[in-house]
Amino acid sequence: MLYKLAFRNARRSLSDYAVYLITVTLSFSLMFAFGLVTSSDAIAGLSEGMATFRMILDFINVIILFVLCFLINYTTKFMFTKRSREFGMYLLLGIRRGKVILMFLTEILLLGLFALTLSLPAGFLISQIISMIIVGAFGIPEVIFIAFAPASAGMLLLYFAVVFLLVLLNMMRKMGRISIRGFLNMEKENEEKVLRSSRKRNVLFCISLLLGVLGFLVWNSQFDLNGASDQSIMYWLLLGIILFILSIYGVSVTAGDMLLTLVLQKRSLKYKGSHLFIARTFSSKVRSMSVTVGTLSMLVVLTLLSLNISYLNQGMSSYLLELEAPYDIQIYDDPEDRDVFNDYTALIEEDYTVSSSCLFDVYKEPAMNLQPIVSMPGSNTDFDTVIRLSTYNDLLRLRGLSPVSLKDDEYLILTDRQMLPRFEEDVELRKITLADGSSLRLKEITDTGYWQSITGLTSFVAVYPDPYVQDLEPVESHLVIDTEEETTADLNKKLVNEMSWHLTYTDDSGDVANENYKVTVRGQIVEEGNSMLAIVSSLCLYLAFIFLSTAGTILAVQALSDSSRHKYRYTVLSRLGVSSTGLCRTVGRQLLILFGLPVVYPVIITFLCMSSINRLYGIFLESSWAYLLYFLEGLVIFLLVYLIYFLAAYIGFKRNIQET
């Protein structure tokens, strides 16, 4: 009989907790879909970087399991609270506590199994969509079909078992400790208010804001282009994160109560329209669920950060490609080994048509005017690196850029964006004295045409007029080649394998070492970049959806529970003459406060974090203000999805209070 009752109640809960079931189903579907994608040999074969996808995903899934545990446990607790009076009546009728507990846990498990059953076909379909996105990122015309993998289904079952076992054990422990009177009165109880003293509340609010400011100062101080690169940075960043978390929870605990106090103290606001009803109705909610609001605020921060990191990664990809491989093929070696370039060229011409090429040397300048500025322990040389002006212009023409001109007594510095501030701050570079005693004036410091492998020795190159270079000693020889066909990673493998006799040597300790870094193929870099872009972007969006849907589901379930629990309040309003339109407006305002409270402060925190990150990574974007566009796009996406949960809660709330 109790099992029939459990089945009936589970079926009824499908409509009452549709938002919760949809979120859990989609969460398990995504876990299954990504498991299928990472287990696909065809996807793994797209790039060597895809092999790490599985390892990263396992770590991400651990985080998601904790979030799902929180979501399912919170919703289960709501379902239990809503049904507590019913369970108390069962106990009064003489039904054993164990059977009542088993009945409720069976309901929860049936709902979970229903979500799991739906997640298998849904996850399989989503995996095909993810496959198309990844294939599109790699620019592959073929469609890769993701086959059903029993191992991935087994992992999903394991995740499901872990989550629901923890939730059911926690609920069993809780139900076993509650008295019959506790069951009967539980629905009328609110969570205990965290702070009862207004003075303590105000002090905590101020301290929380100060912690937020201090956290930002600590966090912001570590994103400095001229800062030291050491392990202490991670500790300072961790301290900043801890301060942010304390600030978010502190503000969440106090802000709602302070807002309601201000409204109730101002008569002009208190008695305007339905403000008093909303404030009184919402006071118990805001003041009692403050810790929960803090957790939801953390989820909002994580959602916005995940979206912004995804956009940031996409924005940097094009610049990083040009920074690593602007030409189809680049090879460099010692000047005495220049003849080996003919062997490389012959191998390339077996499969590709060479459209243009440039062979140039990098020279030593013993005067060391630039090296002391950028030297770093373990990586500095005892000379500056120099190329000819004619060489620089040839390289610019190959990239479709306009050549530059220098007067006889001028030079320019070519470096990456990260090093630009260091050179620009040094006034001594405006006029330098060379090793032969001649002087040159600085015309410009630029990153136009620079790429990482222009020299393997330094992070800069000085460009001198040709006459000043002819007597310098070559230190490196480079060959850059553009082909009519698009290069692939297979060409990189071919060059490394065929030229292993030249790229491999035995060091002083007898170990075999290689110099594969001397060969750069754009196709290889594109493949690696695409794989990293696919991994980071997809996982960030994966996390963002889980975090956002969890927060939205908890708020929606909270609102729908209140609509059933406090239905009589709206019945009284209706009998007092409030129209249906007025009731809907009141509900909308109440839900707007509920959904808005966990969002405002996290948006500020996220913006501050992204502005700090942009100080370091903005050099890889199209402009220093591009992060603002990414932030706004991420915020719009967040609000659109958040709006869906708001509307679902609003429609369900209105339906519940209008039921007779």
Side-chain angles (χ1 to χ4, degrees):
M1 179 65 184
L2 289 177
Y3 290 108
K4 291 183 179 179
L5 191 60
F7 181 79
R8 187 200 65 180
N9 291 333
R11 187 174 57 186
R12 288 180 176 177
S13 297
L14 292 177
S15 59
D16 293 339
Y17 297 95
V19 174
Y20 158 73
L21 288 172
I22 291 173
T23 299
V24 173
T25 300
L26 287 177
S27 298
F28 281 124
S29 298
L30 285 172
M31 296 178 76
F32 182 50
F34 276 100
L36 289 176
V37 170
T38 55
S39 64
S40 171
D41 294 335
I43 294 293
L46 292 176
S47 168
E48 295 179 0
M50 296 301 290
T52 62
F53 200 178
R54 182 72 181 183
M55 181 179 64
I56 299 175
L57 183 64
D58 289 339
F59 174 74
I60 296 296
N61 281 338
V62 172
I63 298 175
I64 290 175
L65 284 178
F66 281 104
V67 177
L68 284 178
C69 275
F70 172 70
L71 168 63
I72 296 173
N73 183 69
Y74 196 91
T75 308
T76 301
K77 185 177 68 173
F78 255 12
M79 296 169 68
F80 168 63
T81 302
K82 184 178 179 180
R83 305 268 308 284
S84 59
R85 187 174 182 84
E86 174 190 339
F87 297 148
M89 295 299 297
Y90 291 155
L91 294 176
L92 283 176
L93 292 173
I95 300 176
R96 288 181 359 190
R97 181 184 295 265
K99 289 189 175 181
V100 175
I101 295 175
L102 183 60
M103 180 192 69
F104 181 64
L105 297 185
T106 302
E107 293 178 25
I108 302 302
L109 188 59
L110 286 174
L111 291 175
L113 290 173
F114 179 75
L116 178 66
T117 302
L118 293 179
S119 66
L120 290 173
F124 181 74
L125 292 176
I126 294 174
S127 69
Q128 310 306 320
I129 298 174
I130 296 174
S131 172
M132 289 189 291
I133 294 174
I134 293 176
V135 167
F138 280 89
I140 300 174
E142 302 90 17
V143 175
I144 296 179
F145 178 77
I146 305 297
F148 185 87
S152 299
M155 285 301 299
L156 181 65
L157 291 175
L158 178 61
Y159 294 148
F160 174 84
V162 169
V163 171
F164 274 86
L165 180 62
L166 293 175
V167 171
L168 295 180
L169 287 176
N170 179 61
M171 189 54 59
M172 184 185 300
R173 179 186 60 83
K174 183 176 182 179
M175 294 180 69
R177 296 168 56 182
I178 301 176
S179 64
I180 296 178
R181 182 177 180 181
F183 275 104
L184 296 174
N185 295 330
M186 181 177 295
E187 190 177 2
K188 300 178 181 179
E189 295 176 356
N190 284 320
E191 300 176 27
E192 185 177 354
K193 185 179 176 181
V194 177
L195 293 174
R196 298 183 180 277
S197 170
S198 298
R199 183 176 181 180
K200 292 181 179 179
R201 178 203 63 198
N202 296 339
V203 171
L204 179 58
F205 179 77
C206 294
I207 292 176
S208 299
L209 287 181
L210 289 175
L211 288 176
V213 173
L214 181 60
F216 172 69
L217 294 176
V218 172
W219 172 274
N220 189 63
S221 65
Q222 303 308 303
F223 291 91
D224 188 356
L225 291 175
N226 298 319
S229 178
D230 53 44
Q231 294 182 351
S232 65
I233 291 179
M234 296 305 300
Y235 295 110
W236 285 109
L237 289 177
L238 180 60
L239 176 60
I241 292 172
I242 293 173
L243 292 173
F244 275 139
I245 293 174
L246 293 175
S247 177
I248 288 172
Y249 273 96
V251 170
S252 300
V253 166
T254 56
D257 194 23
M258 291 186 65
L259 177 64
L260 288 169
T261 301
L262 291 175
V263 171
L264 294 175
Q265 285 179 348
K266 292 185 176 295
R267 297 177 63 88
S268 58
L269 290 175
K270 181 178 179 180
Y271 296 110
K272 184 178 180 180
S274 58
H275 289 182
L276 179 60
F277 174 80
I278 295 174
R280 290 299 186 188
T281 302
F282 203 68
S283 62
S284 60
K285 183 59 58 183
V286 172
R287 290 172 175 174
S288 62
M289 62 176 291
S290 52
V291 176
T292 301
V293 172
T295 303
L296 298 179
S297 297
M298 284 301 306
L299 292 175
V300 172
V301 170
L302 293 173
T303 299
L304 293 174
L305 285 177
S306 297
L307 290 172
N308 277 271
I309 291 173
S310 177
Y311 277 114
L312 197 65
N313 185 61
Q314 295 176 40
M316 293 191 302
S317 60
S318 59
Y319 175 77
L320 291 177
L321 175 60
E322 294 302 312
L323 188 63
E324 293 185 56
Y327 305 99
D328 289 329
I329 304 152
Q330 186 203 332
I331 306 156
Y332 77 91
D333 216 312
D334 298 328
E336 57 268 21
D337 294 331
R338 287 186 68 166
D339 291 341
V340 78
F341 290 151
N342 295 327
D343 297 329
Y344 282 107
T345 303
L347 288 172
I348 294 168
E349 289 178 339
E350 291 179 359
D351 304 307
Y352 293 87
T353 304
V354 176
S355 59
S356 57
S357 63
C358 179
L359 179 62
F360 68 93
D361 290 326
V362 177
Y363 299 87
K364 294 182 180 180
E365 169 54 68
M368 283 187 65
N369 293 293
L370 282 64
Q371 184 59 242
I373 299 173
V374 297
S375 62
M376 300 177 66
S379 63
N380 59 306
T381 63
D382 57 355
F383 55 84
D384 291 339
T385 50
V386 178
I387 62 173
R388 300 173 183 266
L389 174 61
S390 58
T391 295
Y392 179 49
N393 284 330
D394 288 341
L395 294 172
L396 290 176
R397 290 189 187 96
L398 286 180
R399 298 176 66 171
L401 301 174
S402 301
V404 299
S405 60
L406 292 175
K407 295 180 180 178
D408 292 340
D409 62 342
E410 289 182 334
Y411 81 105
L412 64 82
I413 298 173
L414 182 61
T415 186
D416 64 12
R417 294 180 185 177
Q418 188 172 355
M419 300 302 300
L420 283 175
R422 293 194 182 187
F423 287 108
E424 292 171 347
E425 293 171 359
D426 198 303
V427 296
E428 296 181 1
L429 296 179
R430 295 176 182 174
K431 187 175 183 180
I432 61 173
T433 302
L434 307 185
D436 62 2
S438 55
S439 299
L440 292 176
R441 293 182 296 106
L442 178 64
K443 177 183 179 180
E444 184 182 7
I445 303 172
T446 181
D447 68 325
T448 303
Y450 178 85
W451 79 99
Q452 289 178 338
S453 299
I454 193 172
T455 172
L457 298 171
T458 59
S459 57
F460 68 90
V461 167
V463 180
Y464 291 173
D466 288 18
Y468 292 93
V469 181
Q470 60 187 6
D471 295 329
L472 298 180
E473 177 187 356
V475 66
E476 287 179 339
S477 292
H478 293 252
L479 173 66
V480 296
I481 295 175
D482 277 338
T483 60
E484 293 183 3
E485 302 85 1
E486 293 291 335
T487 56
T488 65
D490 291 335
L491 175 60
N492 187 82
K493 295 177 182 178
K494 176 181 178 180
L495 295 177
V496 170
N497 292 333
E498 295 291 337
M499 299 299 295
S500 60
W501 59 270
H502 179 70
L503 297 172
T504 305
Y505 67 96
T506 303
D507 59 20
D508 296 336
S509 61
D511 296 329
V512 177
N514 63 68
E515 296 178 320
N516 296 345
Y517 56 86
K518 290 185 176 180
V519 177
T520 303
V521 177
R522 184 179 175 91
Q524 171 76 13
I525 303 301
V526 168
E527 183 179 288
E528 293 175 353
N530 286 340
S531 63
M532 185 58 62
L533 179 63
I535 291 172
V536 174
S537 297
S538 60
L539 291 181
C540 283
L541 294 176
Y542 178 27
L543 284 172
F545 172 79
I546 298 297
F547 294 145
L548 173 55
S549 60
T550 299
T553 300
I554 289 174
L555 289 170
V557 171
Q558 179 80 245
L560 294 175
S561 175
D562 287 347
S563 66
S564 299
R565 185 177 176 183
H566 303 303
K567 180 179 178 180
Y568 68 92
R569 297 179 179 176
Y570 300 92
T571 302
V572 171
L573 278 182
S574 179
R575 291 174 179 175
L576 289 174
V578 178
S579 64
S580 298
T581 303
L583 282 179
C584 292
R585 189 182 301 114
T586 300
V587 169
R589 291 173 179 174
Q590 183 175 334
L591 292 180
L592 188 62
I593 297 174
L594 177 65
F595 276 78
L597 193 61
V599 171
V600 177
Y601 192 55
V603 169
I604 298 173
I605 292 290
T606 306
F607 177 77
L608 293 176
C609 289
M610 292 308 302
S611 64
S612 298
I613 293 175
N614 183 68
R615 293 177 58 199
L616 185 59
Y617 292 98
I619 58 174
F620 304 119
L621 302 176
E622 295 179 358
S623 70
S624 58
W625 302 103
Y627 81 100
L628 291 176
L629 178 62
Y630 299 150
F631 177 80
L632 291 176
E633 288 180 355
L635 184 60
V636 168
I637 291 177
F638 166 81
L639 292 176
L640 287 176
V641 178
Y642 204 59
L643 179 62
I644 294 175
Y645 282 94
F646 175 84
L647 292 176
Y650 175 77
I651 294 171
F653 198 112
K654 188 170 66 171
R655 182 193 62 198
N656 288 344
I657 64 174
Q658 290 177 347
E659 288 179 351
T660 57

